[in-house]
Amino acid sequence: MLLSLPGNDVLYREIYRALKAAIDSGKLAAGARLPSTRILASDLKVSRNTILRAYEQLLAEGYVVARGRSATLVAETLSRRAGRRPVKTAPRPVRLSAYGRRVARHRRLLRPEGFSTASPRIDFRYGDPAVADFPQAAWRRLMAARAHNLSIPSIGYASPNGYEPLRKQLARYLRALAACLAMRIRSWS
């Protein structure tokens, strides 16, 4: 089987797209048998797993049907549509819940007339940090100082029990909390 692979993407996707294009264009007719994965892998000089992934994608999208382990065939339904333009259908009206209908009636409350699309004076969006305001020189200086004082054990994995100074502090806090709770329980009884 002759397939043109542009070489821009992952191999299995290129093979998948080439086979899909052949089916869509009608080069592979309905019921046509695709070559076995071993033969196609040998022809294209790729691993069989690569061909299997391409076939699995075609199968998932309904372009082919598998007949057990014996054959993979071009699906009847998709090949009939090959070469035809998709039929445009009118959009179906959206069914809204009672709450949705109330919100739709008061749409003007969601977008007031005075809503401005101009750039705001202060950008409150999250995700874009103020990189220009970041104190890079101070950050580099502090990072260098910390890196200079690192010991070999501190670079490796920590104890599976957790950071020891933190464990000690938590134990102190929990002992104090337990003592307070015990005093409250005694005062209630």
Side-chain angles (χ1 to χ4, degrees), residues 13 24 30-31 37 40-41 54 63 68 70 73 85 87 112 122 124-126 133 135 138 141 161 173 180 185 187:
R13 282 194 214 134
D24 285 339
T37 55
L40 190 56
Y63 281 92
S70 62
L73 308 171
R85 288 187 173 165
V87 178
I122 300 173
F124 287 104
R125 290 180 297 181
Y126 59 89
D133 298 334
R141 191 175 54 254
N161 298 328
Y173 171 76
C180 288
I185 291 172
S187 67

Side-chain angles (χ1 to χ4, degrees), residues 143-155:
M143 287 293 291
R146 285 293 292 158
H148 183 70
N149 296 330
L150 280 178
S151 64
I152 296 299
S154 67
I155 295 173

